[in-house]
Amino acid sequence: MALDINKIRNDFPILKRQVHNKPFAYFDNAATTQKPNSVIDRMDKVYRETNSNIHRGVHYLSDITTRDFEAARDTVRRFINARHDHEIIFTPGTTSGINLVAFSFGERYVSEGDEIIISAMEHHANIVPWQMLCERKGARLRVIPMNDKGELLLDEFDKLFTSGTRLVSVTQVANSIGSVNPVKQIIELSHRHGVKVLIDGAQAVQHGYVDVQELDADFYVFSGHKMYGPTGIGVLYGKEEILEEMPPYQTGGEMVDNVSFEKTTFNRLPFRFEAGTPNYTGAIGLAAAIDYLEATGLDDIAAYEKDLLEYGTRQLSEIDGLHLYGRAKDKISILSFVLDDIHPFDAGMVIDKHGIAVRTGTHCAQPLMDRFGIRGTIRASLAFYNTREELDRLREAVEKTIQMFK
Ligand code: PMP
């Protein structure tokens, strides 16, 4: 069934606003997505009707909020098809999830001379935590190279494994150029070498189904705010048997079992990794976002976004002096491009004056920009509330920008 785009656009109140006296066209969805009424209303309801700190209360509202928070965990579990609720750790976001693994798993299993493998198209959030871990431990970072289209070279990947490889951490979808990586194959290959894998799903979960059991991912991380949910909430999925063996990362309330000044024992999963008051309102909002995505239909969303990507690619390809980056066979709806002799930042400023939001720069993927020998791109990242008409406006705005700088 096709999407009812008018209904969808009505669900997102911000899309009705004007920017610079023009209808607002939002193409910065890879940075963060807009929120539907159902998510905004659900969080509003928490603060107006049920707000209370969770888990430790015996009173009425604390009980309701605790149950809503744990129901949200179950919604996430179902959404990514994890086996157990306690494999779902709520975090502030993707970055926090990766840091948790880098500190906890990294502290226990990585030693001097060991190696971590990442890829050439990682977001800084999936580079720097590993780099810092390597510095702390005297370990080494290895990088899976890619071709000019933005596809990882799996033959080269296979050659990177040594007896010291401790973890592979790769993105499922590249935020800068949209490549979809064959993560199932990457996981299979890594497991053949006896190495565990973390998948950065920050740009993947919102574009289609993710099944962590089918992938056999050891860790899977993502952020609520990139999937139409709130900021400040994200998820780290980890296989039960791996999480059970990992030492705590942050410590304090909630993650403990028994505390005395002599000794502390730790709580069971998932609470052991959720120190302090969790963002329960965010978690409940995230569950509302998942409900919204499922009610809309993830298959229909993916099909609609594919059509938008093809249309946008055709429109932009016809512009003289525009060069698209990221031509992977499998890619999601991201149009990343440069214009001859115009700095991406200048172009972004002019495009903004048309009421169109695009992002410019390196998109937190500086090594990828270096690989292409460019200083950055203009990125239009599309969501299922965008339209072909908005892409026509983008084309027109880009053409006017080129004219202006001539
Ligand atoms: N990984 C990828 C692929 C991303 O696109 C992003 C956000 N741009 C992150 C990690 C970091 O996510 P967050 O800022 O929500 O922690």
Side-chain angles (χ1 to χ4, degrees):
M1 210 179 62
L3 296 185
D4 181 348
I5 192 71
N6 288 327
K7 179 197 166 297
I8 285 168
R9 288 185 67 83
N10 266 326
D11 290 337
F12 290 83
I14 207 170
L15 300 180
K16 293 192 183 72
R17 67 161 295 157
Q18 303 237 318
V19 166
H20 302 309
N21 294 319
K22 307 264 174 27
F24 178 44
Y26 184 72
F27 288 129
D28 198 14
N29 295 288
T32 199
T33 49
Q34 300 303 346
K35 320 303 171 199
N37 281 316
S38 59
V39 170
I40 300 167
D41 293 347
R42 186 67 189 86
M43 295 174 72
D44 189 77
K45 187 174 155 75
V46 172
Y47 285 129
R48 286 182 191 282
E49 297 180 21
T50 59
N51 180 51
S52 236
N53 207 335
I54 55 169
H55 290 147
R56 352 168 211 258
V58 290
H59 62 81
Y60 184 69
L61 291 189
S62 175
D63 185 46
I64 292 179
T65 310
T66 302
R67 276 192 274 129
D68 288 347
F69 178 66
E70 290 305 327
R73 197 189 303 279
D74 188 57
T75 299
V76 172
R77 181 201 60 72
R78 202 177 28 73
F79 182 63
I80 63 170
N81 193 31
R83 213 168 309 140
H84 307 291
D85 278 0
H86 57 255
E87 294 178 316
I88 306 300
I89 314 285
F90 282 118
T91 66
T94 306
T95 304
S96 301
I98 296 173
N99 274 283
L100 192 161
V101 177
F103 275 92
S104 173
F105 181 92
E107 280 310 310
R108 173 140 303 173
Y109 298 109
V110 179
S111 324
E112 192 171 348
D114 286 347
E115 295 183 344
I116 310 277
I117 300 178
I118 59 169
S119 90
M121 60 179 81
E122 298 308 320
H123 187 279
H124 295 164
N126 199 27
I127 301 174
V128 187
W130 306 118
Q131 215 163 37
M132 302 289 287
L133 170 66
C134 287
E135 270 180 34
R136 290 196 299 277
K137 297 287 185 169
R140 190 153 83 110
L141 205 56
R142 310 293 306 271
V143 182
I144 313 168
M146 66 177 185
N147 63 21
D148 290 341
K149 290 190 202 163
E151 296 165 332
L152 294 182
L153 304 177
L154 291 195
D155 289 348
E156 298 299 318
F157 172 46
D158 197 27
K159 291 182 208 153
L160 292 178
F161 286 92
T162 68
S163 58
T165 310
R166 290 290 164 262
L167 188 78
V168 172
S169 188
V170 291
T171 195
Q172 188 165 7
V173 171
N175 70 309
S176 50
I177 51 171
S179 313
V180 179
N181 291 322
V183 288
K184 191 170 161 62
Q185 236 177 307
I186 288 173
I187 292 168
E188 255 171 38
L189 216 142
S190 306
H191 286 174
R192 248 183 271 148
H193 289 276
V195 176
K196 303 207 179 334
V197 185
L198 182 148
I199 301 296
D200 175 350
Q203 299 292 344
V205 279
Q206 63 280 50
H207 294 285
Y209 289 100
V210 168
D211 183 329
V212 289
Q213 289 191 69
E214 211 249 330
L215 286 177
D216 200 19
D218 300 295
F219 299 106
Y220 194 96
V221 289
F222 56 97
S223 301
H225 71 98
K226 291 180 197 284
M227 53 183 298
Y228 313 97
T231 49
I233 188 77
V235 171
L236 161 66
Y237 157 82
K239 281 183 186 161
E240 177 189 42
E241 62 272 25
I242 303 173
L243 291 175
E244 286 288 8
E245 295 301 316
M246 283 166 44
Y249 165 43
Q250 292 190 322
T251 55
E254 195 82 2
M255 54 77 66
V256 288
D257 178 26
N258 222 328
V259 181
S260 72
F261 288 121
E262 288 69 42
K263 184 165 173 60
T264 293
T265 54
F266 301 117
N267 206 340
R268 62 193 157 88
L269 293 176
F271 314 112
R272 179 143 41 97
F273 291 108
E274 291 178 353
T277 299
N279 182 1
Y280 52 83
T281 312
I284 293 166
L286 172 59
I290 291 174
D291 289 343
Y292 182 84
L293 283 172
E294 289 183 335
T296 307
L298 280 151
D299 283 340
D300 291 339
I301 287 173
Y304 182 82
E305 288 177 345
K306 185 164 181 285
D307 176 74
L308 274 187
L309 174 68
E310 283 167 7
Y311 184 77
T313 305
R314 279 200 304 278
Q315 291 299 312
L316 294 184
S317 301
E318 285 169 14
I319 300 175
D320 263 354
L322 182 150
H323 309 277
L324 276 164
Y325 282 83
R327 289 172 290 110
K329 201 150 55 47
D330 199 2
K331 82 176 259 196
I332 50 103
S333 48
I334 284 181
L335 297 159
S336 216
F337 56 94
V338 299
L339 302 175
D340 282 344
D341 306 322
I342 305 175
H343 195 285
F345 184 70
D346 294 334
M349 300 262 283
V350 179
I351 293 168
D352 173 61
K353 294 291 178 282
H354 294 263
I356 300 173
V358 291
R359 186 152 294 247
T360 62
T362 63
H363 318 298
C364 290
Q366 260 175 279
L368 177 133
M369 300 298 151
D370 293 344
R371 162 68 178 74
F372 284 132
I374 53 179
R375 37 190 180 173
T377 71
I378 302 152
R379 182 186 70 184
S381 47
L382 321 179
F384 62 97
Y385 42 60
N386 290 127
T387 63
R388 285 186 173 209
E389 291 70 34
E390 287 179 321
L391 285 166
D392 291 340
R393 283 179 56 206
L394 175 65
R395 174 182 179 156
E396 206 178 305
V398 171
E399 284 172 335
K400 284 192 175 147
T401 306
I402 293 171
Q403 282 306 321
M404 213 182 115
F405 281 92
K406 250 188 185 157

